Amino acid sequence: MKTGAALLIDSLKEEGVKVIFGYPGGSVLPVYDELYDSDLRHILVRHEQAAVHAADGYARASGKVGVCLSTSGPGACNLVSGIATANMDSVPVVALTGQVPTGMLGNDAFQESDITGITMPVTKHNYLVKDAKEIKRVVSSAFHIAGTGRKGPVLIDLPKDVLTQAVDPKDVLSKDAELRGYKPTLKGHSRQIKKALDMIYEAKKPLVYAGGGVISSGASEELKEFAELFCIPVTTTLMGLGAIPCDHPLNLGMLGMHGTEYANYAVTECDLLIAVGARFDDRVTGNIKYFAPNAKIIHMDIDPAEIGKNVCPDVPIVGDAKLVLSELCKMAEKKGCFCEPWVKQVKTWRENHPLAIADDGKLHPQYVIRKLSEILDSGGIIVSEVGQNQMWAAQHYGFRRPRQWISSGGLGTMGFGFPAAIGACFAKPGETVVVIAGDGSFQMNIQELGTVAQYEVPLKMVILDNMYLGMVRQWQELFYDRRYSYTELPPVDFVGIAKAYGIKGMLVDSVKEVEPALRKAVDYEGPYLLDFRIEREENVFPMVPAGAAISEMIGKHCKNAGEP
Ligand SMILES: Cc1ncc(C[n+]2csc(CCOP(=O)(O)OP(=O)(O)O)c2C)c(N)n1
């Protein structure tokens, strides 16, 4: 006989799980008891929100499904922001939650919460298991759903009596990932692909707009091949950074609210927009009425629900980006650069409107990021928090490959970056992992310094410390007449806090210290925290004000990045 908890551990191992991030409590004690002598690695975080973000970071860095575990009630509820974060960015996570015994469901029992009900809108799918015989089947289906098609989080709620229920192995329902009604379309329709090709041949000013779908489908080689085949410039979303190397001649960097000037001009001028694994998010399109106003649109996406949601494409193609792009390349007859004047025009924009960085002897965050990029030779894994720090990192770090950039794009969850970076360290043990944080975001999950210390996670923590909730302050400066309502934060001795956990750190407040400090942190074997006291009222430019067209950027190519 085997208990439900033992079957759960067996099933996780069968799915190839090596590490899970979690936090115990009464209703999951049977699972923790099984973990006690299991060779599955469990990482004890300090808050359940960190467990799900760590599982998410693990998934984004590795391409595998990340797993987290919590108890019922408050533990499960603490997962919600993290599940919603993974959902918005289509990240494969399996969240396991304990639940009160089945006989008490619906009674408002101690630590009961209807977590399947609560997470229904923010999971790809969820399960409440009522019989231990089903555990294997449910776990295998959950992994299949999380990691295929448009990826996403799946929650499995496990009542305590199900975890303790003894089952005869012969009664265990066999795992069966063939789910009726769940069949993602992977191959693009050949007639649509042919139509897309005709449209590409007719275009004079084509542009690729690549999103996170390219990264999650592992399509970046195909994207490069496709762009090079026809010589089409590529702009990426925040989630698509790394899909094409930063120094590729056709790469225009990020578009949208804090995108490069040249990418936003290119979108506004193009006559054909080829969206690949991107969802026309409002942070990208600005006022959608003026987004790509002259362009026909080809939209490739694995999720049919994305097609026509925000824009109506001329050619929709439902399918996996990797397969669709390679099919496009295969079916192409006419190849080569047939839009030379356009490519030249884009190049001129790029040369004339570079991203600005001030050179006045003060400590600017962009400089810190560029130095980091230089020191790591644009390598490593960069995880950001949310706010200005995120946008500076996105703009100024030179990403070369997919899964090198991890950031909460869709939900913009402060407190995501630090635990997600811990997850990335477990996913990629040999890599240098750096979290870039604002002082506000870092304090949202600062307790995870305990996890970093306990497991000697060799994470490098870079805090761009402006003693403000910087991005909100920037909006108050620009759109609320500098009325800084509740966005100032008092100085914090982050180095002292790190020290209290036994972690090394250094405060940096001058330009000349930046490079040696970064080198010291990177060369150090264990975790290291750097607190950069940056120019307090630095802004992120260019910026498209909310509701404006993306061609209407403020703070354009001014030498001093501090002035709009
Ligand atoms: C959980 C959560 N609460 C509130 C916000 C709204 N918000 C977006 S950016 C930001 C300020 C971030 O400040 P900080 O982490 O110090 O970074 P900075 O912008 O200064 O780099 C806030 C409050 C959010 N994104 N997430």
Side-chain angles (χ1 to χ4, degrees), residues 69-297:
L69 169 64
S70 82
T71 194
S72 63
C77 287
N78 277 345
L79 296 179
V80 175
S81 296
I83 292 174
T85 303
N87 193 52
M88 284 286 265
D89 289 344
S90 310
V91 181
V93 167
V94 168
L96 307 164
T97 49
Q99 182 55 280
V100 300
T102 45
M104 296 215 247
L105 283 171
N107 289 0
D108 288 342
F110 177 64
Q111 296 196 328
E112 178 183 5
S113 66
D114 173 12
I115 197 63
T116 46
I118 292 170
T119 59
M120 186 82 82
V122 291
T123 45
K124 187 170 172 189
H125 196 60
N126 65 28
Y127 296 90
L128 169 63
V129 184
K130 293 219 175 129
D131 189 326
K133 293 189 205 80
E134 291 173 359
I135 285 182
K136 279 204 166 188
R137 177 172 284 184
V138 166
V139 170
S140 106
S141 303
F143 275 76
H144 180 67
I145 292 173
T148 53
R150 180 179 188 161
K151 299 173 175 101
V154 177
L155 181 136
I156 308 177
D157 202 20
L158 297 149
K160 191 168 183 180
D161 58 326
V162 172
L163 292 172
T164 52
Q165 183 189 338
V167 183
D168 190 331
K170 73 172 174 9
D171 293 334
V172 170
L173 297 177
S174 67
K175 48 183 219 167
D176 177 12
E178 272 296 302
L179 299 153
R180 246 181 287 155
Y182 177 73
K183 287 241 172 350
T185 306
L186 301 180
K187 222 172 149 283
H189 197 290
S190 56
R191 206 170 48 226
Q192 294 302 88
I193 294 180
K194 177 81 187 44
K195 263 199 211 162
L197 274 173
D198 290 343
M199 217 172 248
I200 292 170
Y201 298 141
E202 276 166 28
K204 303 249 171 324
K205 302 171 180 179
L207 180 71
V208 173
Y209 147 48
V214 174
I215 313 260
S216 67
S217 85
S220 64
E221 272 311 308
E222 287 74 9
L223 176 77
K224 202 158 71 121
E225 191 193 336
F226 169 72
E228 284 171 357
L229 198 63
F230 303 103
C231 202
I232 303 179
V234 180
T235 175
T236 76
T237 65
L238 180 83
M239 300 302 295
L241 287 172
I244 184 157
C246 58
D247 47 5
H248 193 286
L250 289 169
N251 183 11
L252 297 180
M254 185 168 76
L255 82 165
M257 181 173 273
H258 291 297
T260 61
E261 258 181 88
Y262 35 99
N264 286 344
Y265 290 147
V267 181
T268 308
E269 282 287 313
C270 71
D271 66 356
L272 176 66
L273 189 68
I274 307 162
V276 190
R279 60 191 179 91
F280 296 87
D281 169 55
D282 58 282
R283 280 292 189 272
V284 160
T285 62
N287 188 331
I288 202 144
K289 261 207 283 188
Y290 307 108
F291 182 68
N294 311 313
K296 292 211 164 126
I297 291 175

Side-chain angles (χ1 to χ4, degrees), residues 223-416:
L223 176 77
K224 202 158 71 121
E225 191 193 336
F226 169 72
E228 284 171 357
L229 198 63
F230 303 103
C231 202
I232 303 179
V234 180
T235 175
T236 76
T237 65
L238 180 83
M239 300 302 295
L241 287 172
I244 184 157
C246 58
D247 47 5
H248 193 286
L250 289 169
N251 183 11
L252 297 180
M254 185 168 76
L255 82 165
M257 181 173 273
H258 291 297
T260 61
E261 258 181 88
Y262 35 99
N264 286 344
Y265 290 147
V267 181
T268 308
E269 282 287 313
C270 71
D271 66 356
L272 176 66
L273 189 68
I274 307 162
V276 190
R279 60 191 179 91
F280 296 87
D281 169 55
D282 58 282
R283 280 292 189 272
V284 160
T285 62
N287 188 331
I288 202 144
K289 261 207 283 188
Y290 307 108
F291 182 68
N294 311 313
K296 292 211 164 126
I297 291 175
I298 299 170
H299 190 182
M300 305 171 201
D301 205 288
I302 194 150
D303 183 355
E306 279 305 331
I307 310 268
K309 188 182 81 182
N310 293 332
V311 300
C312 215
D314 298 274
V315 179
I317 307 177
V318 176
D320 177 65
K322 192 179 173 83
L323 297 180
V324 175
L325 286 173
S326 61
E327 199 55 29
L328 258 173
C329 295
K330 246 191 266 156
M331 281 170 68
E333 285 150 18
K334 291 182 246 168
K335 295 174 186 171
C337 191
F338 47 84
C339 307
E340 243 167 90
W342 166 242
V343 176
K344 247 194 220 143
Q345 161 78 82
V346 169
K347 200 165 155 245
T348 312
W349 278 327
R350 192 162 65 174
E351 282 162 6
N352 292 347
H353 309 282
L355 279 168
I357 175 163
D359 179 20
D360 54 8
K362 294 181 182 159
L363 183 43
H364 294 284
Q366 299 92 334
Y367 176 78
V368 177
I369 310 273
R370 285 196 186 187
K371 268 286 159 224
L372 179 67
S373 191
E374 204 180 293
I375 288 169
L376 293 180
D377 194 18
S378 297
I381 296 178
I382 307 300
V383 189
S384 83
E385 278 291 349
V386 167
Q388 293 180 312
N389 60 87
Q390 177 181 33
M391 294 304 147
W392 287 319
Q395 289 179 335
H396 294 276
Y397 199 88
F399 298 101
R400 283 196 207 284
R401 56 174 178 81
R403 304 201 179 280
Q404 205 195 342
W405 165 243
I406 295 177
S407 193
S408 167
L411 203 63
T413 311
M414 286 173 75
F416 164 84

Side-chain angles (χ1 to χ4, degrees), residues 386-389 412-414 438-441 444 466 468-472:
V386 167
Q388 293 180 312
N389 60 87
T413 311
M414 286 173 75
D439 49 321
S441 319
M444 276 226 176
N466 47 18
Y468 278 119
L469 295 172
M471 186 58 100
V472 183

